[in-house]
Amino acid sequence: MLTIDVKKSFHKQHDRLFHLDLSFSVNAGFTVLTGPSGAGKTSLLRMIAGIIAPDEGVIELGSTVYFDSERRIDMQIQQRNVGFVFQDYALFPHMTATQNIAFGVRASASADRRVKAEEMLSLFHIEHIADRLPHEMSGGEQQRVALARALSCEPRIALLDEPLSAVDIETRSKLLDEIESAQDRAKIPFIYVTHNEAEATRLGTNRIYIRDGRVAAAEIA
Amino acid sequence: MLTIDVKKSFHKQHDRLFHLDLSFSVNAGFTVLTGPSGAGKTSLLRMIAGIIAPDEGVIELGSTVYFDSERRIDMQIQQRNVGFVFQDYALFPHMTATQNIAFGVRASASADRRVKAEEMLSLFHIEHIADRLPHEMSGGEQQRVALARALSCEPRIALLDEPLSAVDIETRSKLLDEIESAQDRAKIPFIYVTHNEAEATRLGTNRIYIRDGRVAAAEIA
Amino acid sequence: IGKEQISNDKPNQSVESITVSAAVSLKDAFTEIGELYKAKTGRTVDFNFGASGALQQQIESGAPVDVFASAGEKQMTALAEKNLLTAGSRKDFARNSLVLIVPKTSEVRIVSFSDLADPALKKIAVGNPKTVPAGQYAAEVLEKGGLQEKLHDKLIFAENVRQVMDYVVRGEVDAGIVYSTDARQAGSEVNVAATADEASHSPILYPIAVIAGAKHPDAAQEFIDLVMSSEGQAILQKYGFISPGKSQ
Amino acid sequence: MIFDALKLSLFVVCCSTAIVGIAGVAFSYLLAKSSFRGKDLLDAFLTMPLVLPPTVTGYYLIVLLGRRGILGSYIYELTGWSFAFTWEGAVVAAVVVSLPLMIKASRASIESVNTDYETASYTLGKGKLETFLRITLPLARRGIFAGLVLAFARALGEFGATLMIAGNIPGKTQTMPLAIYEAVASGDDHRAQVLAVVLTAVSIAAIYLTNKISRTAFYG
Amino acid sequence: MIFDALKLSLFVVCCSTAIVGIAGVAFSYLLAKSSFRGKDLLDAFLTMPLVLPPTVTGYYLIVLLGRRGILGSYIYELTGWSFAFTWEGAVVAAVVVSLPLMIKASRASIESVNTDYETASYTLGKGKLETFLRITLPLARRGIFAGLVLAFARALGEFGATLMIAGNIPGKTQTMPLAIYEAVASGDDHRAQVLAVVLTAVSIAAIYLTNKISRTAFYG
Ligand SMILES: Nc1ncnc2c1ncn2[C@@H]1O[C@H](COP(=O)(O)OP(=O)(O)OP(=O)(O)O)[C@@H](O)[C@H]1O
Ligand SMILES: Nc1ncnc2c1ncn2[C@@H]1O[C@H](COP(=O)(O)OP(=O)(O)OP(=O)(O)O)[C@@H](O)[C@H]1O
Ligand SMILES: [Mg+2]
Ligand SMILES: [Mg+2]
């Protein structure tokens, strides 16, 4: 159960550039987040992950309070335990695909981490790039590494920001299977941002449509 | 008229990671380039732009020889005059949207460049971010700045690498109108990479499908 | 307390080396005396050559030095005032004289210090009177000759005598004032134009003393004795120094 | 007296930092972006003044630029003027000892700039120089700025080489470090402390200020 | 003799570069990634040795660490040992004069690392330290490496401060630059030239080598 009730403004000098005012709550399972470009989807995910702090409000995951302006709680990013696929991937440029994925795996033995990373590589059909650095991969390959990395850190919530926008239709459908089965195993909330109607329909148990920083429509199961 | 006939291998130490062997020619107008992730689409665009050099072969645009391994011609990037929308945007992080676009405009007076940049911003519906730096924009906004920048340098060929992958369906359709009218005015080849079937169908006068570094199917008008 | 302390202070037992801080201009002569000392006593001398002022500051801050040999009296006196010398150990062991040197290629005829006023001479290098003993003596000579004022704009202050030598050798200046030992060492690279009258400056004496709290006071005293001995004096004279008692 | 030395120091340091800034960036560009024979040697040669005791550097400068020096004798013949014992000599000394700092710091930051941005600039029809000035340099600004601060501070403290080529003429070539050295070496502790405090204060103020400026410039 | 001085120099420089490497990175981290009162002052203070003439730095060091020094007297009372005239003193001098170079260069490069990567590491559950060591440092490697080269070269050439605290005792504390100084000051030009050439050759070789190594490490 994820509960969101936040307000946040972006300022530049004295101009208010953008204002977010969102409140909803969703259960474990997929929540598809859609809305026009610049609506505030990424900003919302960043607040959940703790990368930016809301001006006021509450963010709770189950019984864990991630943020509460009144009680002055603002849990650190590294304690929130989120699996984040960044819109621009943010792969570590000095690490190979395997190293990028293994970096987040929670296992003490490095051999275990490697095994897990290799498993993820094959799930996402990118075994062939195991030893390549990010700049030696294609866009879609990078995106899949980012997805694998986010899902292999045993998160308590997955935040996927257009995680399949750079792959072809065929690959996308295979990866969606993998994402669905990952959710199935983990039973945690998956917040899934997409502009693709087919993806949205397929995953959409819950759907939230945001526009101009506000929830414009919501179908919550 | 763009003529391509190139071979290129990527190596790491002594392993051949990937091999490209492409040959086709297309006229001014849209050419939609599709194919699975990792097929070699971006690599092809990079060779046309001069960012990477083919191992051997020929690249000609009209009567201009961009590359010819036999005649040892390899024109510099800055002379090729391409408008490139990079898959990862490559916006200059220290410049605002307006500055990013104005940077490429071919006009000697800086006021003229600014005017042109502002015109482009409004064509692509991003006037509101004119003075923001890339890290203050959403993913789709960044992508539109990249598109505007590439089309405002009066190129002799436009290379668009999934230029609308990060925008919502509604915006996408408006931007496609703009892209079509830009091609209409310029009458130059537009090489358009996409994974989106709707886009492909709409623009597809010529269609080239590549797979594993080879042309697997081509419909050329 | 005591026992170990006392046995530590006992001479010769475990003494293998002493540390001598000496003005760098004494390097060649002292190195030779050090070898002699080793031959006689079996102990080695660790020399610490540097500018007299720097050596003085090291000793003030407690550097483990047994003997200090200075190129100027000022530094030694400063230590004496701070009770950092072993009473009665201070002696003058050598003297030097001051000479006026000109570049080998010099076209101006100079035969005395008073010729320095010649307008053909544009630049004259001397040690910095504030920091270099040789500069102090040079200032006295110029003062006595009534030249200080006239030369005011021509003087270039160097931070050691070596720098004066370099300037003269390379012809950057038209003349310089250095110790005769330095001029002698430079050999034919410069011409000695004049020697300063002994009466025109205070005696250029090189004092030596055992440092208070020296680890090896007796061995240190032996070193001083060797410097003062006829053998030691012979070595110093070989390098151009004058016996402290004799006149030029 | 203190005021004279301070004024001279600041003047010399400003001249040298300006020269080092321009020359340093030019050399960094050369070393980072082009490849030619002997590049590594040029690099090592430019680093030399860092390794040699400044007095030795000063000696080489005299040998090169003195009135009878390898280059200096030509200058002297042509103009009747020489670097020796002039403030220009102090500037040369400061430039030589601080240039390596600037080059090392700015070169590293120039090489760290993601080349994708430079490539993007080329596709927009910009040449190497324009791309360097408008893209690479601004993106490498922190390292370049650090290099400038290093060069500034080093020039402010320059002493050994200055002493050799510029001499130590109060009011003419006696910079702060020379005055401090003189006071320390002559045992004038009081004066030394006053001077050191002034120099320290000036440099702390300068560094403090530049930090503030850089912060506004970088995070603006 | 030359060999002794060279060996000692290399030994002292290796010790000091190791210390400077670790301390420099730690300080850079502090200055770049945390904010606390007096940060700018700490920064300015750490830059001081760059501005002060080395002899003056050396003077402060003996005032601080000499047997009768502010700190040194306690050390002496406790252990019967003091920094004066020991190779450890030479290491301290080298560390103090070269640390500012390391800090400035590495701090700038650490601050230039795109924070997105650090954020990504935090979301993967890694703490500040681990993120710094495994993400920030490798991405800032060029600047850190440049800082190390600067520190190495500066330590190799260090002379003024060393002379004050470690003395100039052949075979014990006489490093190459001190040997050069001694040869120059005692008029032994030939020896001075031989020493200067050896020091130059060693440092050119060292820098040439590190350049080669860095190239393989960064592009290999
Ligand atoms: N640091 C910032 N400073 C100023 N404005 C910002 C900042 N970050 C985001 N914005 C603005 O906030 C709005 C929402 O951005 P956000 O990235 O959340 O959009 P989004 O819904 O993810 O869009 P897209 O689908 O294009 O990725 C945008 O208009 C953006 O320009
Ligand atoms: N510098 C490189 N070194 C090694 N391999 C590379 C390099 N650049 C690209 N490749 C490989 O070449 C293949 C083609 O890459 P390219 O980026 O052209 O694919 P693409 O068709 O654009 O894919 P996508 O749709 O995912 O962007 C990929 O397998 C990629 O890993
Ligand atoms: Mg977004
Ligand atoms: Mg691609």
Side-chain angles (χ1 to χ4, degrees), chain E residues 133-153:
Chain E
L133 294 177
R134 292 182 59 191
I135 305 296
T136 318
L137 271 194
L139 292 177
R141 61 190 182 276
R142 276 172 205 280
I144 287 174
F145 193 77
L148 278 175
V149 171
L150 282 177
F152 174 89

Side-chain angles (χ1 to χ4, degrees), chain D residues 99-131:
Chain D
L99 189 60
L101 301 179
M102 175 72 192
I103 293 180
K104 277 269 172 286
S106 65
R107 178 183 174 181
S109 67
I110 286 171
E111 286 180 338
S112 301
V113 171
N114 187 337
T115 52
D116 286 355
Y117 301 123
E118 290 158 1
T119 305
S121 166
Y122 294 145
T123 64
L124 293 166
K126 305 299 175 185
K128 290 213 161 193
L129 187 66
E130 188 169 359
T131 298

Side-chain angles (χ1 to χ4, degrees), chain C residues 74-75 125-140 142-143 148 155-160 164, chain D residues 168 170 174 182 185-187:
Chain C
K74 190 173 133 197
Q75 289 80 9
V126 296
N128 186 339
K130 290 188 187 146
T131 56
V132 188
Q136 238 164 283
Y137 299 120
E140 287 177 25
L142 297 181
E143 191 68 41
Q148 192 70 285
L155 293 183
I156 306 283
F157 294 137
E159 281 326 308
N160 51 52
V164 178
Chain D
N168 177 14
Q174 189 181 63
E182 188 179 284
S186 66

Side-chain angles (χ1 to χ4, degrees), chain B residues 60-72:
Chain B
E60 281 177 9
L61 180 66
S63 57
T64 317
V65 182
Y66 276 2
F67 183 89
D68 188 334
S69 55
E70 280 191 1
R71 284 148 73 196
R72 300 187 169 281

Side-chain angles (χ1 to χ4, degrees), chain C residues 99-107 110 116 121 123-127 156 158 160-179 182-183 186-193, chain D residues 59 62 67-68 84-85 164, chain E residues 189:
Chain C
V99 295
L100 180 63
I101 53 171
V102 294
K104 216 167 34 182
T105 54
S106 174
E107 279 150 21
I110 306 176
L116 288 176
L121 298 182
K123 289 191 175 102
I124 299 156
V126 296
I156 306 283
N160 51 52
V161 176
R162 222 15 248 188
Q163 203 183 338
V164 178
M165 292 295 308
D166 278 336
Y167 285 156
V168 175
V169 168
R170 299 205 43 83
E172 293 303 331
V173 296
D174 305 306
I177 301 175
V178 297
Y179 292 132
D182 297 303
S188 62
E189 287 187 279
V190 296
N191 293 334
V192 174
Chain D
Y59 180 76
I62 281 276
R67 198 164 69 177
R68 301 270 159 76
F85 314 129
M164 256 336 252
Chain E
D189 283 356

Side-chain angles (χ1 to χ4, degrees), chain A residues 128-129 132 135-142 144 166-168, chain B residues 10-12 17-18 20 35-44 46 87 161-162 193 195 210:
Chain A
H128 62 291
I129 57 156
R132 282 190 217 174
H135 77 265
E136 299 164 334
M137 305 172 191
S138 81
E141 286 162 353
Q142 287 180 32
R144 283 178 272 169
V167 297
D168 56 298
Chain B
F10 291 112
H11 292 271
K12 188 157 189 168
L17 298 179
F18 186 74
L20 268 166
S37 168
K41 304 179 293 295
T42 300
S43 302
L44 171 61
R46 288 159 67 88
Q87 201 169 0
D161 202 351
E162 309 184 26
V193 177
H195 292 304
I210 67 174

Side-chain angles (χ1 to χ4, degrees), chain E residues 53-121:
Chain E
T55 330
V56 176
T57 306
Y59 177 73
Y60 286 147
L61 279 181
I62 60 175
V63 169
L64 192 71
L65 294 178
R67 203 166 63 180
R68 302 210 180 86
I70 302 171
L71 262 172
S73 55
Y74 291 104
I75 300 177
Y76 188 67
E77 258 169 46
L78 282 173
T79 62
W81 178 88
S82 120
F83 278 102
F85 289 5
T86 60
W87 65 264
E88 290 93 338
V91 171
V92 169
V95 166
V96 168
V97 300
S98 59
L99 188 59
L101 302 178
M102 176 71 193
I103 293 179
K104 277 269 171 284
S106 65
R107 178 183 174 181
S109 67
I110 285 170
E111 286 180 339
S112 301
V113 171
N114 187 337
T115 51
D116 287 354
Y117 300 124
E118 290 158 2
T119 304
S121 166

